Amino acid sequence: MKQFHSSDIRNFAIVGHGASGKTSLSEAILKLGGEINRLGTIEDGSTVSDYHPAEKSRQISIHSTPLHMEWGGKKFNIIDTPGYSDFIGESLGSLGIVDLALITIHAANGIEVCTETMWENATNLGIPKMLVVNGLDREHTKFNEILAQAKKRFGDNVFPMQLPVNPGPGYNQNIDVLRNELITYKNDKSGEMDEGPLPENFQNQVKDLHEGLIEYVAESDDNLLEKFFDQGGLSEEEMREGIHKAIQDQTFVPLFCISATSNIGVRRLCDFIAKYGSSPDDRKVVVAHNKNGDDIEVSLDGEETVLQIFKTMSESHLGELSLFRIYSGNVKTGKDYYNSNRNINERFGQMFLMNGKNRTQVGQLFAGDIAGVVKLKDTHTGNTLCSGNHVTLPKLNLPSPNIHSAIVSDSKGDEEKLAVGLATLHEEDPTFVYRVDSEVKQTIISGQGELHLTVTTERLKRRFGISIGLEKVKVPFRETITTKAQAKYRHKKQSGGAGQFAEVWMKIEPQKKGDGIEFTQSLVGQNVDRVFVPSVEKGVKIACLEGILAGCNVVDVKIDFYDGKMHPVDSKDIAFQTAGKHAFRKAFLAAQPCLLEPIIDIKVKIPEEFMGDIMGDISGKRGKIMGMDSEGGFQLINAQVPQAELHNYATTVRSLTGGRGLHSESFSHYEKLPKDLEQKVIQERKTKEDE
Ligand SMILES: Nc1nc2c(ncn2[C@@H]2O[C@H](COP(=O)(O)OP(=O)(O)O)[C@@H](O)[C@H]2O)c(=O)[nH]1
Ligand SMILES: [Mg+2]
């Protein structure tokens, strides 16, 4: 491929709700650009973009896939992203490195939760948006309703650049509002079209729209606005000048009409992106950090290289592949760059322009471009590589996990391999996290949904040969007391060799929530030598870790060791540890102990019609509704629910809402577990111990 100036590059991500046709649209674009000869389909698993085995078998996108082609003298770098909420991290990561978001909307389903999530994220990142209503060849399309919905949700400046003339099966005509013409596409998926005059019945509507468009464009630029008032309008030429800027400012948000699978409308969309879409020049300067964490500007025309890895993945026959965007300078195979997140040097390996599994090798690339590089040793998703001064680009904006599972490894002795596998997968996909939880003694993996964890588990098996099972995360119940109590305990062992003797007197009382375990001594006289104080404390701390009622951590208890007895020969550290531990257990059981359970704050975002189901489910889960709000066209429910009830809640939300709801979780506090449940938990843990 020839070299493109940054102003001739169009970096955009296709984002939107699952099944709105992002992958099919990518396919249609590549077909127009001549990168492929025929349109692959999701059903046959033959699209360029969904080429991974897990994507083919499930018929959904799991990875962000970079694609490229040439159109109208411009280089398109397209990123087809997943819309399934399990893989939302991929989409958010990709949005962070493009200059334009193309948001697809399903022509029959309208605006869905992920449509809105993507809108918000693109807005927060400050990148312009275009909307694409796709699938206008489907039955039961509702273009006018979607347009009204989009204006209501996203603002009145959403503007239809096109109107579908014959939506529904057989759809092949659009009105082009900018050019005041009728476009008829061939029905052979070639994407070819004829232009003709406006039909009579559209003339008034289009005239009004056209005038509206002129006003939007005029508003984006003072010079144009002046001309607009002087001349009472804008010429075709002046319009063209203004549209690009108007899109950058989002004074209006263009909306397009297409059918991806029949290649209707895609050509005009590409023309529009080529002519008016954003280029890297529109984000010439990005704010990064220097070594001291101060803001510095990275400029597209800078001499030094600055690039960011936005995804790493392992590819068959290639090994580890890192996808990157260059923000400044150029990159060359064989050169060393500095990884400022990890403070190491990396030698740049072979570089590729990507079209799914079809890749073209290149030796050098320039600022603004997107490509892949192989064999970086220790550089991971989100890292910055640079030449010259130390620069770190802002972190990719990624969601926090909302589903957790414990892993059980079938293969004993593979711990080290497992640790390496988990670490590698996390580095590739930072939305997959894992940790060893000492409280419940499980290794816990977390992600964006059950499917995310399943797919990652499969990857662990395929790549590292480790098979793991998933099981429920144990709830980290805790134990505490509700009244004061005291106990005396004598530990005496005099059979065989050296004897052991210790006696500990102890008072305990509840502490304020969150104050933990506090151990004091108030010994008077010489009954107990002070050297044994740490021994008693150690015994108490062990008892607190082991738990007394149900094997859970003990919290929020104040302990005072106030007296005891000792023996001149047989008293020793271990004897006082044992006596301390047992005195504590005895006092604890006398102090009306109880179990505490973790309560989680959840936020659920759903279309209005699912309110009843979600609220009903929350109250069935012993949850408390803390508040409700509407956000965009969705309802936002804030609630507090016990962790014990939230196992795979992401899946519950998905199934209650047909995939149209989303939720997030964060720990809130501990609360007393109801008595009936407490008995159940204690019983369960006892049986486990007996086994
Ligand atoms: N009728 C029709 N079906 C489409 C269109 N675009 C996509 N589909 C189908 O909708 C499903 C989801 O499409 P896909 O491209 O995977 O959507 P994505 O999840 O947004 O990438 C597949 O079965 C496609 O064949 C379209 O324009 N018209
Ligand atoms: Mg897809």
Side-chain angles (χ1 to χ4, degrees):
M1 202 176 213
K2 68 179 197 231
Q3 192 200 317
F4 289 85
H5 186 266
S6 58
S7 60
D8 290 333
I9 293 178
R10 300 287 177 269
N11 295 321
F12 58 96
I14 306 182
V15 295
H17 203 76
S20 54
K22 298 176 289 299
T23 299
S24 304
L25 171 56
S26 311
E27 192 74 8
I29 295 177
L30 292 182
K31 166 80 168 53
L32 287 176
E35 293 290 329
I36 49 175
N37 294 323
R38 59 183 289 270
L39 285 181
T41 66
I42 303 293
E43 287 68 21
D44 299 343
S46 55
T47 62
V48 176
S49 173
D50 286 356
Y51 63 99
H52 286 102
E55 296 180 308
K56 287 190 189 187
S57 66
R58 292 189 168 86
Q59 302 199 347
I60 58 166
S61 306
I62 288 175
H63 296 280
S64 277
T65 307
L67 308 163
H68 71 93
M69 67 144 199
E70 191 179 332
W71 188 258
K74 308 289 190 275
K75 182 184 181 200
F76 282 18
N77 285 320
I78 309 153
I79 302 184
D80 176 32
T81 70
Y84 211 71
S85 62
D86 286 55
F87 308 108
I88 204 166
E90 295 274 325
S91 324
L92 300 186
S94 305
L95 272 182
I97 56 95
V98 293
D99 306 309
L100 175 73
L102 213 57
I103 306 178
T104 50
I105 303 174
H106 191 291
N109 297 347
I111 291 170
E112 299 170 89
V113 172
C114 272
T115 326
E116 218 163 83
T117 309
M118 292 304 150
W119 174 277
E120 280 162 18
N121 277 284
T123 307
N124 294 342
L125 288 162
I127 52 174
K129 298 150 300 235
M130 293 189 193
L131 299 172
V132 181
V133 178
N134 175 46
L136 281 160
D137 63 309
R138 289 179 186 270
E139 305 264 8
H140 313 299
T141 61
K142 43 176 195 186
F143 178 76
N144 290 329
E145 209 177 303
I146 291 174
L147 180 59
Q149 218 184 8
K151 281 176 172 287
K152 194 160 154 244
R153 305 275 169 84
F154 303 142
D156 221 19
N157 55 346
V158 169
F159 185 87
M161 297 304 291
Q162 292 160 350
L163 299 171
V165 175
N166 56 346
Y171 162 68
N172 69 339
Q173 289 185 314
N174 279 339
I175 300 291
D176 189 307
V177 173
L178 177 62
R179 298 166 60 137
N180 284 314
E181 62 187 17
L182 171 73
I183 305 174
T184 305
Y185 286 87
K186 278 204 178 136
N187 270 328
D188 59 1
K189 304 190 182 187
S190 63
E192 277 164 36
M193 60 183 206
D194 285 318
E195 290 148 89
L198 274 186
E200 193 75 40
N201 56 337
F202 274 95
Q203 280 183 354
N204 286 337
Q205 188 188 1
V206 174
K207 188 164 168 278
D208 288 349
L209 282 171
H210 195 83
E211 281 169 8
L213 182 60
I214 293 180
E215 284 176 34
Y216 277 128
V217 172
E219 271 169 34
S220 69
D221 185 319
D222 287 345
N223 283 335
L224 289 179
L225 196 62
E226 215 167 285
K227 282 190 188 152
F228 174 76
F229 284 125
D230 288 353
Q231 309 163 3
L234 293 180
S235 70
E236 198 72 28
E237 192 55 33
E238 289 158 347
M239 284 280 279
R240 288 185 189 289
E241 270 171 40
I243 290 178
H244 172 82
K245 181 146 190 306
I247 291 175
Q248 292 311 306
D249 306 344
Q250 298 269 275
T251 31
F252 83 106
V253 177
L255 177 143
F256 294 85
C257 299
I258 68 163
S259 160
T261 45
S262 33
N263 205 350
I264 307 290
V266 182
R267 177 178 286 268
R268 242 323 126 78
L269 173 65
C270 289
D271 289 342
F272 193 89
I273 294 172
K275 283 200 184 113
Y276 310 111
S278 320
S279 81
D281 287 27
D282 295 307
R283 288 208 299 164
K284 215 165 190 143
V285 173
V286 291
V287 176
H289 300 290
N290 68 11
K291 210 172 192 157
N292 307 322
D294 302 328
D295 284 1
I296 45 165
E297 292 189 336
V298 171
S299 165
L300 196 64
D301 339 301
E303 296 272 305
E304 300 290 353
T305 305
V306 180
L307 64 93
Q308 186 168 37
I309 309 292
F310 63 95
K311 180 176 169 65
T312 45
M313 55 186 179
S314 159
E315 292 284 284
S316 43
H317 311 302
L318 266 192
E320 197 85 345
L321 176 74
S322 311
L323 304 177
F324 62 93
R325 162 159 182 166
I326 314 165
Y327 285 90
S328 172
N330 63 54
V331 282
K332 279 196 189 120
T333 296
K335 267 199 81 173
D336 282 345
Y337 299 102
Y338 183 70
N339 180 327
S340 49
N341 299 88
R342 305 179 77 85
N343 300 316
I344 51 159
N345 278 313
E346 280 282 6
R347 164 93 20 113
F348 235 56
Q350 287 174 336
M351 290 192 291
F352 297 94
L353 299 177
M354 312 278 303
N355 262 336
K357 59 178 180 303
N358 311 324
R359 305 164 189 118
T360 321
Q361 198 174 329
V362 285
Q364 184 175 18
L365 286 168
F366 298 88
D369 223 335
I370 292 175
V373 57
V374 289
K375 302 211 168 57
L376 298 184
K377 288 191 310 282
D378 200 16
T379 290
H380 306 295
T381 305
N383 291 174
T384 304
L385 292 178
C386 53
S387 64
N389 287 336
H390 181 124
V391 180
T392 359
L393 289 161
K395 276 205 194 113
L396 299 174
N397 143 49
L398 297 173
S400 43
N402 64 7
I403 197 160
H404 316 274
S405 201
I407 62 179
V408 271
S409 170
D410 307 343
S411 29
K412 277 272 164 281
D414 269 357
E415 283 81 5
E416 204 163 311
K417 233 164 90 187
L418 177 64
V420 172
L422 290 173
T424 309
L425 291 177
H426 166 70
E427 278 155 358
E428 287 177 6
D429 170 10
T431 64
F432 167 78
V433 293
Y434 70 98
R435 67 196 172 87
V436 178
D437 187 307
S438 57
E439 192 165 345
V440 294
K441 303 187 181 59
Q442 287 178 310
T443 298
I444 297 173
I445 59 174
S446 308
Q448 295 298 314
E450 227 172 304
L451 184 60
H452 184 206
L453 297 186
T454 309
V455 166
T456 311
T457 309
E458 288 171 6
R459 230 175 270 162
L460 197 61
K461 166 103 183 128
R462 217 174 32 245
R463 299 208 358 231
F464 299 90
I466 307 167
S467 44
I468 54 168
L470 298 184
E471 63 175 23
K472 236 171 145 159
V473 174
K474 286 196 204 127
V475 181
F477 292 110
R478 289 182 178 168
E479 308 183 1
T480 193
I481 53 172
T482 54
T483 62
K484 292 183 179 181
Q486 43 184 301
K488 299 174 181 170
Y489 188 89
R490 169 179 295 191
H491 173 64
K492 196 165 136 188
K493 204 170 119 198
Q494 269 153 345
S495 53
Q500 289 190 19
F501 180 93
E503 190 172 306
V504 172
W505 299 14
M506 178 182 284
K507 288 181 195 155
I508 65 174
E509 61 182 87
Q511 288 244 82
K512 235 181 51 230
K513 229 186 211 174
D515 280 359
I517 302 292
E518 189 186 334
F519 181 88
T520 55
Q521 60 98 353
S522 54
L523 298 169
V524 282
Q526 287 311 312
N527 289 345
V528 183
D529 193 326
R530 305 299 183 266
V531 298
F532 296 124
V533 171
S535 315
V536 173
E537 179 167 6
K538 197 162 169 205
V540 169
K541 293 267 159 83
I542 290 171
C544 288
L545 274 180
E546 287 176 349
I548 294 155
L549 293 178
C552 315
N553 287 1
V554 173
V555 295
D556 303 338
V557 181
K558 191 163 173 213
I559 300 122
D560 187 45
F561 170 31
Y562 69 95
D563 208 352
K565 292 203 172 106
M566 62 178 194
H567 179 275
V569 183
D570 291 348
S571 278
K572 50 190 86 164
D573 173 47
I574 187 68
F576 270 93
Q577 275 191 39
T578 312
K581 181 170 158 183
H582 286 285
F584 179 72
R585 292 179 66 99
K586 217 170 137 187
F588 186 89
L589 288 170
Q592 296 184 15
C594 68
L595 287 186
L596 300 174
E597 65 172 338
I599 306 293
I600 307 294
D601 279 325
I602 61 169
K603 278 192 197 334
V604 197
K605 188 171 173 182
I606 43 166
E608 174 108 43
E609 68 238 59
F610 300 111
M611 284 282 280
D613 290 343
I614 292 285
M615 306 255 277
D617 180 71
I618 289 176
S619 61
K621 289 182 154 52
R622 301 189 284 124
K624 268 195 286 248
I625 306 288
M626 307 302 287
M628 274 176 293
D629 226 337
S630 62
E631 194 179 280
F634 295 93
Q635 290 297 321
L636 202 61
I637 303 177
N638 289 310
Q640 292 192 333
V641 184
Q643 182 184 332
E645 307 286 340
L646 277 181
H647 180 61
N648 283 1
Y649 186 61
T651 309
T652 309
V653 173
R654 180 187 299 285
S655 65
L656 284 177
T657 62
R660 299 174 59 202
L662 278 181
H663 95 287
S664 63
E665 299 182 357
S666 59
F667 170 76
S668 171
H669 64 281
Y670 268 87
E671 229 168 74
K672 241 171 123 170
L673 184 65
K675 274 293 163 205
D676 51 328
L677 292 174
E678 181 177 291
Q679 279 318 309
K680 233 172 99 191
V681 172
I682 293 176
Q683 208 50 48
E684 260 171 35
R685 305 250 162 145
K686 264 221 182 89
T687 349
K688 274 247 168 78
E689 234 163 68
D690 296 346
E691 272 163 13

